[in-house]
Amino acid sequence: SSWWSHVEMGPPDPILGVTEAFKRDTNSKKMNLGVGAYRDDNGKPYVLNCVRKAEAMIASQKMDKEYLPIAGLADFTRASAQLALGENSEAFKSGRYVTVQGISGTGSLRIGANFLQRFFKPSRDVYIPKPSWGNHTPIFRDAGLQLQAYRYYDPKTCSLDFSGAMDDISKIPEKSIILLHACAHNPTGVDPRQEQWKELAAVVKKRNLLVYFDMAYQGFASGDINRDAWAVRHFIEQGINIVLSQSYAKNMGLYGERAGAFTVICSDAEEAKRVESQLKILIRPMYSNPPLNGARIASIILNTPDLRKEWLVEVKGMADRIISMRTQLVSNLKKEGSSHNWQHITDQIGMFCFTGLKPEQVERLIKEFSIYMTKDGRISVAGVTSGNVGYLAHAIHQVTK
Amino acid sequence: LAAYRTDEGQPWVLPVVKKVEQMIANDKSLNHEYLPILGLPEFRANASRIALGDDSPAIKENRIGSVQSLGGTGALRIGAEFLRRWYNGNNNTATPVYISTPSWENHNSVFVDAGFKDIRTYHYWDAAKRGLDLQGLLGDMEKAPEFSIFILHACAHNPTGTDPTPDQWKQIAAVMKRRFLFPFFDSAYQGFASGSLDKDAWAVRYFVSEGFELFCAQSFSKNFGLYNERVGNLTVVGKDADNVQRVLSQMEKIVRTTWSNPPSQGARIVATTLSCPQLFAEWYDNVKTMADRVLLMRSELRSRLESLGTPGTWNHITEQIGMFSFTGLNPKQVEYMIKEKHIYLMASGRINMCGLTTKNLDYVAKSIHEAITKIQ
């Protein structure tokens, strides 16, 4: 007999299930709106030009393959911190931060979660928005923390339940951990406005909460890296020493290269050194040291003025295409004669959109129109093109009229 | 951290790796999309095939699984996390984990951070005879509680360079089978140790042929020289396909909260190389180059010490295998080497053979001779 007879089959990944069903579908009009990766207007993966240029530079440099330090590529981590905090950031200039390279967003979140489990003594509770990215819960749980929630999305309006959020957050026990999506909330696409962020910062400060920002879409949300990092920077300016995870999967299209970073804003540079030493102690028994390729590509882009400029244009291009698809979807729905209010589609931001569609309606979209999305009505706008937006609008109208 | 060095004391990017990297760079059809959670399929299959052998019964019987991991460390960690959750009951953090004395210093942390509460040591290095303490090792296995996990170095034991002989492995396997002990192999030097992939995988394959269910954490850092791309693989051998499938489904969940999916660059290089006969042959040749240089340095160092008449016996230098050698120098002698001769070795007397070159062999041999004759 086997050691593993009692091991249960893990539940199938819901998003994977969407893609599997999509692949089996023979309908030529099929659309995969479950995909969490950017697609160009032909529905194809997009390798950024600045990435290709950086790769060409790397190929010509003929460098060795020696281990990176545990904390990662220094040029990358420094540039990553500067990108998030802004070059005029007091926290950045004073060096009262530590940034370690992480395995894209997930790995960075996990390092942070493990660090908090080990060193944040006041609380075991992490408050995440309702809903949040599906992987947040198991990441914090596996790190040994507990999950709680605060109201966030209002399904009636398909927008932010700001009063609900403020109400819940104002009641969070002091010194708990709160997770905030810096921009382009996943899965809803609903972000607070700047005035709302100001109020959130004030209440979070009042409750003395440990703030954990997840920033996976800087630049990708509005097209402007500074605008997308506004909340992060505002909180720090208000004296809130946040922790932050960053991903370069979407904004540089480096998905499979796993480029990311985890940052802790500290009281001073000396504290940052001590924090760094403990982060390294956490990382070493996980994977020893991080992979070079993605970090080096990102570092070259961020640190080479011409390439950085080109990147900013390209990331804006991706964001603009998404925004344009939102606009076209809404106008096409109007053209179809839909009487519903679809404003939330253009109010929401980033890769994902909570359409407001109900499970039965989603079911019909899949069965009758071969349009695939998750049961919660979330679509990846990245999967929409000018070629299929009309079909999508038509189908949505059919199941909602 | 230990890495291979050429005779000029330089890092070495394998020629086949340069070639394949260029191929990848020139292939404009490639993109940077996410790999599946368990990794690049062509990498996983080839990596496990390298460990288990082309004609492995386990592969033929479709009862193996693979998880692409971030280096050997990542493979160890995923395996450790899985064992803590699913081995010997559910979430049994009390299952003893045995690590050799000495061992790679990170082994302990991997299993502690995975949640195991009872990490123990097993006898391994016999300092007096400068070899394997087989009786001590077997004794510990006899005394270990049933179902204990044993971390075994597949070849080129780090840091001693001392491996069990095939006959000794057979004895080890017999005890482990009788006492229901779980073998978790750490294979970081396959090919790099002897120059032969098959020879370096003999122990793992023997255990498979004896019907064990086991884990094998593989690293391609040394044998492909891909240190910083974090290329590793956790090979799972089970009783049958159904069990392996369920194990992999749970390992997927562990991967998802650790790194979601693994990095693609290194895996692509290895997969491309292993799946093309010509590139595979070139790689094998590159690996042999590294292994042969280390073997040469071992034999040259030994012969110099013997010529100098350095007190003691020096056959252990050539009997040991892999990157490291436990010279037998004591801490005082090591201090002499470092302070007076500027030769850096660990307090344990561990020397990195890759640091030896034809240029420095004489100096190192003379220094060891001095250290041993001057310092007791």
Side-chain angles (χ1 to χ4, degrees):
Chain A
S1 73
S2 168
W3 287 120
W4 317 124
S5 313
H6 68 296
V7 174
E8 298 149 19
M9 192 68 185
D13 185 291
I15 296 172
L16 202 73
V18 167
T19 300
E20 295 296 300
F22 168 81
K23 281 191 196 145
R24 286 193 297 266
D25 195 323
T26 53
N27 186 342
S28 61
K29 288 201 150 116
K30 66 181 180 177
M31 292 174 69
N32 185 356
L33 300 182
V35 66
Y38 179 81
R39 294 287 176 263
D40 64 17
D41 203 45
N42 296 311
K44 296 278 180 279
Y46 172 58
V47 178
L48 279 65
N49 281 326
C50 60
V51 167
R52 288 207 193 281
K53 285 184 181 162
E55 288 179 300
M57 283 168 69
I58 290 168
S60 70
Q61 276 165 9
K62 300 186 187 317
M63 296 187 70
D64 63 43
K65 302 222 158 281
E66 296 297 285
Y67 287 119
L68 277 178
I70 300 172
L73 186 66
D75 283 346
F76 167 72
T77 52
R78 186 174 39 245
S80 203
Q82 196 210 42
L83 178 68
L85 307 182
E87 57 200 2
N88 295 319
S89 155
E90 163 275 325
F92 179 75
K93 287 198 268 200
S94 69
R96 64 177 185 94
Y97 72 93
V98 53
T99 300
V100 295
Q101 185 179 335
I103 314 298
S104 205
T106 301
S108 305
L109 279 163
R110 181 58 182 273
I111 290 169
N114 279 13
F115 176 75
L116 293 175
Q117 192 277 338
R118 196 173 275 189
F119 292 98
F120 189 70
K121 293 305 165 194
S123 175
R124 303 286 75 183
D125 287 326
V126 181
Y127 285 77
I128 67 174
K130 224 186 312 189
S132 195
W133 182 41
N135 209 17
H136 277 144
T137 293
I139 287 171
F140 285 104
R141 195 167 279 155
D142 279 7
L145 296 168
Q146 279 151 211
L147 279 306
Q148 308 291 346
Y150 56 91
R151 274 174 287 169
Y152 190 81
Y153 178 72
D154 185 346
K156 287 193 231 78
T157 60
C158 295
S159 65
L160 181 64
D161 178 2
F162 185 61
S163 57
M166 288 296 289
D167 192 32
D168 284 353
I169 294 173
S170 66
K171 297 194 179 96
I172 293 178
E174 291 199 23
K175 297 190 189 171
S176 303
I177 301 161
I178 182 169
L179 179 85
L180 297 163
H181 297 222
C183 62
H185 181 271
N186 179 1
T188 68
V190 169
D191 285 349
R193 292 189 306 275
Q194 283 182 7
E195 316 91 71
Q196 294 171 321
W197 273 123
K198 284 179 180 168
E199 289 190 53
L200 286 164
V203 71
V204 141
K205 203 172 171 186
K206 195 157 171 218
R207 301 303 297 157
N208 200 7
L209 305 178
L210 188 296
V211 175
Y212 198 151
F213 265 110
D214 181 357
M215 185 153 69
Y217 299 98
Q218 188 184 4
F220 192 91
S222 71
D224 180 336
I225 50 159
N226 295 310
R227 190 156 153 202
D228 289 346
W230 191 88
V232 168
R233 297 172 188 182
H234 175 74
F235 273 57
I236 297 172
E237 278 158 26
Q238 296 306 303
I240 302 168
N241 287 351
I242 66 161
V243 302
L244 165 75
S245 79
Q246 293 169 271
S247 168
Y248 291 89
K250 285 84 174 173
N251 61 11
M252 285 193 183
L254 290 175
Y255 306 92
E257 302 296 339
R258 321 309 293 129
F262 174 68
T263 295
V264 181
I265 305 295
C266 302
S267 315
D268 51 54
E270 190 272 333
E271 179 178 280
K273 276 269 159 288
R274 286 184 281 114
V275 169
E276 183 184 29
S277 71
Q278 294 298 340
L279 289 171
K280 284 157 69 171
I281 289 172
L282 274 167
I283 291 169
R284 177 109 166 99
M286 238 190 264
Y287 51 83
S288 277
N289 41 74
L292 173 65
N293 200 43
R296 188 144 72 183
I297 293 170
S299 175
I300 288 174
I301 291 170
L302 292 173
N303 291 309
T304 310
D306 283 350
L307 286 183
R308 193 187 175 105
K309 278 203 200 87
E310 192 168 353
W311 172 58
L312 292 175
V313 169
E314 287 191 277
V315 77
K316 185 170 188 313
M318 290 193 285
D320 285 348
R321 194 185 90 68
I322 303 261
I323 291 167
S324 147
M325 287 303 101
R326 291 178 179 276
T327 308
Q328 286 191 42
L329 179 55
V330 171
S331 66
N332 272 279
L333 281 163
K334 286 205 181 91
K335 263 194 241 142
E336 288 283 326
S338 177
S339 54
H340 293 289
N341 179 356
W342 297 103
Q343 189 185 334
H344 55 280
I345 291 179
T346 42
D347 282 349
Q348 289 167 12
I349 193 168
M351 190 176 282
F352 301 111
C353 168
F354 249 31
T355 55
L357 292 168
K358 303 189 190 62
E360 321 83 74
Q361 295 166 328
V362 171
E363 188 80 24
R364 284 188 63 195
L365 281 176
I366 295 175
K367 291 227 157 69
E368 294 173 36
F369 296 92
S370 296
I371 295 174
Y372 292 82
M373 64 187 70
T374 44
K375 288 258 161 8
D376 54 9
R378 183 194 85 160
I379 62 170
S380 168
V381 185
V384 181
T385 69
S386 48
N388 62 26
V389 66
Y391 178 67
L392 177 61
H394 174 75
I396 291 177
H397 177 57
Q398 294 307 308
V399 306
T400 56
K401 64 183 180 184
Chain B
L1 289 167
Y4 176 80
R5 291 286 176 270
T6 64
D7 200 47
E8 287 75 41
Q10 295 303 309
W12 192 51
V13 179
L14 275 59
V16 73
V17 166
K18 283 189 196 164
K19 189 188 233 181
V20 173
E21 279 189 315
Q22 198 57 58
M23 283 165 64
I24 290 172
N26 295 340
D27 186 349
K28 297 303 170 201
S29 75
L30 290 176
N31 55 42
H32 294 289
E33 293 296 290
Y34 289 124
L35 287 181
I37 297 172
L38 295 179
L40 186 67
E42 308 83 70
F43 168 78
R44 296 164 57 210
N46 276 298
S48 290
R49 181 176 60 83
I50 289 293
L52 302 178
D54 289 336
D55 50 8
S56 170
I59 294 178
K60 290 204 174 82
E61 291 153 26
N62 196 25
R63 54 187 182 85
I64 74 130
S66 327
V67 179
Q68 180 187 336
S69 309
L70 283 265
T73 307
L76 282 165
R77 182 60 178 265
I78 299 300
E81 292 278 353
F82 177 86
L83 289 174
R84 192 262 297 162
R85 286 164 172 72
W86 295 101
Y87 176 71
N88 194 24
N90 275 21
N91 202 38
N92 190 349
T93 60
T95 302
V97 178
Y98 282 81
I99 297 172
S100 69
T101 305
S103 192
W104 182 44
E105 70 281 355
N106 205 20
H107 276 145
N108 204 281
S109 311
V110 169
F111 285 87
V112 166
D113 280 16
F116 285 100
K117 302 289 183 213
D118 188 359
I119 318 277
R120 306 182 185 187
T121 58
Y122 63 89
H123 285 86
Y124 196 84
W125 172 249
D126 184 334
K129 68 171 214 218
R130 289 186 196 162
L132 179 67
D133 178 5
L134 181 67
Q135 292 319 308
L137 193 165
L138 293 175
D140 286 339
M141 286 183 169
E142 293 285 3
K143 288 192 227 96
E146 284 186 335
F147 319 130
S148 296
I149 297 162
F150 272 75
I151 311 308
L152 305 167
H153 297 229
C155 69
H157 181 272
N158 178 1
T160 68
T162 299
D163 291 341
T165 62
D167 206 69
Q168 292 171 329
W169 275 120
K170 287 180 179 174
Q171 293 179 61
I172 291 167
V175 176
M176 291 187 74
K177 192 186 263 195
R178 184 169 28 86
R179 309 229 57 255
F180 304 107
L181 306 174
F182 185 84
F184 195 152
F185 280 97
D186 183 354
S187 177
Y189 301 98
Q190 190 186 2
F192 188 94
S194 71
S196 159
L197 292 171
D198 294 332
K199 195 165 169 203
D200 292 344
W202 189 89
V204 178
R205 297 174 189 184
Y206 177 72
F207 272 66
V208 171
S209 72
E210 285 293 299
F212 281 90
E213 291 187 298
L214 55 83
F215 287 175
C216 180
Q218 301 168 259
S219 168
F220 292 90
S221 290
K222 284 85 174 171
N223 60 16
F224 261 87
L226 283 173
Y227 306 94
N228 63 24
E229 297 297 359
R230 316 312 294 126
V231 199
N233 187 54
L234 178 68
T235 288
V236 174
V237 179
K239 274 276 147 41
D240 55 52
D242 182 69
N243 273 293
V244 171
Q245 205 191 10
R246 281 180 281 106
V247 167
L248 286 188
S249 75
Q250 292 298 344
M251 286 186 172
E252 244 185 20
K253 287 178 65 180
I254 295 168
V255 168
R256 188 78 169 113
T257 62
T258 313
W259 55 62
S260 262
N261 44 78
S264 71
Q265 179 72 354
R268 269 181 181 159
I269 294 169
V270 174
T272 304
T273 305
L274 296 181
S275 56
C276 164
Q278 189 199 323
L279 292 172
F280 178 88
E282 284 182 43
W283 171 61
Y284 208 102
D285 207 59
N286 291 170
V287 171
K288 202 161 179 310
T289 297
M290 293 190 286
D292 284 350
R293 194 182 96 67
V294 172
L295 289 168
L296 179 67
M297 291 300 101
R298 285 184 179 279
S299 99
E300 293 286 296
L301 179 62
R302 173 182 168 180
S303 68
R304 274 167 181 70
L305 290 170
E306 287 171 347
S307 303
L308 287 167
T310 309
T313 54
W314 299 102
N315 46 300
H316 60 281
I317 301 280
T318 49
E319 280 160 20
Q320 287 167 6
I321 194 166
M323 198 178 269
F324 304 113
S325 178
F326 254 26
T327 54
L329 292 175
N330 65 38
K332 282 210 179 74
Q333 292 164 339
V334 169
E335 205 185 331
Y336 178 85
M337 293 284 282
I338 297 174
K339 287 218 163 80
E340 304 301 323
K341 314 305 290 184
H342 311 292
I343 294 170
Y344 294 88
L345 54 165
M346 307 286 280
S348 58
R350 185 192 88 167
I351 200 168
N352 184 344
M353 300 307 296
C354 296
L356 290 176
T357 67
T358 46
K359 285 208 182 73
N360 67 25
L361 265 169
D362 287 337
Y363 179 69
V364 173
K366 284 206 187 90
S367 303
I368 292 176
H369 182 83
E370 273 182 42
I372 295 208
T373 49
K374 282 188 181 169
I375 316 280
Q376 306 311 310

